[in-house]
Amino acid sequence: MLSIATWNINSVRLRIGQVARLLEQEAPDVLCLQEIKCREEQFPHAAFEALGYTHRVVNGQKGYHGVATVSRIPLREFSKHDWQDNGEARHVGVELLGPGQGMVLENVYIPAGGDIPDRTVNAKFGQKLDFIERMTRWAESLDRPTLIVGDFNVAPLDCDVYDHKALLKVVSHTPVECEALGQFGEAHGWIDLGRQHIPAPERNYSWWSYRAYWRQKDQGRRLDHMWASPELARQSKAHRIVEETRRWDQPSDHVPLVTEFDL
């Protein structure tokens, strides 16, 4: 059995203690992190080494964005794409070399897109849509078992947000974003593992704003995803949301997802 986790950590150096707690508690074989907010030389390599995650591939930048994949099993860097075409560190792909050998694991942090869902007045929203469109073109040519995980910053289904009607004009759940992500899904026949294992319309949130008292109002959205090639999806045996991390001191606003594969 192979377990893979994904988590937008919102600063890996600030929350390395929480990452260590998660790794000790859940013991995934591989952890994909987004929004690490540091350059590779600033990444807390020693802490991961001590925890047994001796294989690491980092695509970082100073203070913002950044992704990293850490592993207890051998892997190699496979690709780094700049789907926003502006130099930001938002993707890294690896190939597993131990258990799950041959699987390609893509770790992505799609841009949030700003506050106004109109590319004519908000360049960030246009960049987000262009990022997804470039990812879609890339997905059309995939010919290997692939798992793409990370913070997609889109809650695509009506039941992926606490109030569908109220959020139709809010970035992350607008029809144009959901349609763009749907086209990405169709480009490779991706299987959404979150909904394969937790079928709609069951509650399935991964993010709660810092601005709201999340436990009382439960104003969540499903922004984090794990999507697999069809043949790989058939080998996924379990999927869970580690929601308790949102109750830890000074938490990330996202929580981890973990999927187990029979490989």
Side-chain angles (χ1 to χ4, degrees):
M1 199 70 72
L2 175 74
S3 62
I4 297 176
T6 181
W7 193 6
N8 179 322
I9 192 58
N10 193 12
S11 178
V12 67
R13 291 180 294 172
L14 177 64
R15 296 187 171 87
I16 186 59
Q18 296 187 18
V19 176
R21 182 176 175 181
L22 177 82
L23 293 177
E24 291 168 350
Q25 173 181 306
E26 300 294 327
D29 295 298
V30 186
L31 171 64
C32 297
L33 295 168
Q34 302 87 43
E35 208 171 354
I36 60 172
K37 294 185 175 180
C38 66
R39 296 189 297 263
E40 181 174 0
E41 60 268 25
Q42 300 169 313
F43 190 77
H45 289 283
F48 286 103
E49 193 77 18
L51 289 161
Y53 288 78
T54 57
H55 307 277
R56 296 174 297 275
V57 179
V58 180
N59 183 16
Q61 65 182 88
K62 182 179 180 181
Y64 298 94
H65 320 307
V67 291
T69 299
V70 303
S71 176
R72 301 191 297 187
I73 61 177
L75 52 74
R76 69 173 182 89
E77 182 178 315
F78 188 73
S79 61
K80 288 180 180 176
H81 293 298
D82 180 8
W83 285 313
Q84 200 172 356
D85 196 26
N86 66 353
E88 291 181 355
R90 292 183 174 273
H91 167 266
V92 69
V94 301
E95 180 182 16
L96 302 188
L97 302 176
Q101 184 169 357
M103 178 200 295
V104 175
L105 174 57
E106 307 283 359
N107 179 1
V108 65
Y109 176 36
I110 294 177
D115 295 326
I116 302 172
D118 183 344
R119 69 185 305 154
T120 64
V121 296
N122 173 20
K124 291 182 177 179
F125 191 71
Q127 289 169 354
K128 179 179 189 176
L129 296 178
D130 291 344
F131 187 107
I132 298 173
E133 196 277 333
R134 292 185 181 107
M135 270 202 337
T136 300
R137 302 285 78 80
W138 160 82
E140 290 174 343
S141 63
L142 293 178
D143 59 0
R144 294 182 58 175
T146 302
L147 178 67
I148 187 165
V149 309
D151 179 1
F152 287 13
N153 264 313
V154 180
L157 304 182
D158 294 2
C159 54
D160 285 342
V161 296
Y162 68 92
D163 189 331
H164 166 61
K165 290 184 179 179
L167 294 178
L168 277 172
K169 295 183 180 180
V170 175
V171 174
S172 80
H173 191 59
T174 65
V176 65
E177 293 168 275
C178 295
E179 180 181 356
L181 195 63
Q183 291 174 351
F184 170 67
E186 293 171 1
H188 180 62
W190 297 106
I191 304 299
D192 178 348
L193 298 180
R195 284 308 184 188
Q196 174 173 286
H197 292 278
I198 307 173
E202 290 185 42
R203 178 183 175 281
N204 186 346
Y205 301 150
S206 68
W207 176 90
W208 296 260
S209 172
Y210 287 128
R211 300 173 186 174
Y213 184 58
W214 76 280
R215 278 178 286 189
Q216 183 178 34
K217 297 183 178 180
D218 196 28
Q219 294 182 344
R221 307 180 204 176
R222 188 170 74 103
L223 302 182
D224 302 87
H225 299 265
M226 305 182 82
W227 289 14
S229 299
E231 62 272 31
L232 187 58
R234 289 190 287 270
Q235 296 172 289
S236 68
K237 301 304 179 184
H239 175 87
R240 60 188 178 274
I241 308 164
V242 192
E243 192 170 314
E244 68 181 84
T245 65
R246 192 64 174 82
R247 296 189 289 271
W248 294 352
D249 291 338
Q250 295 186 312
S252 171
D253 44 356
H254 296 255
V255 299
L257 312 178
V258 184
T259 297
E260 295 178 357
F261 296 87
D262 186 7
L263 294 172

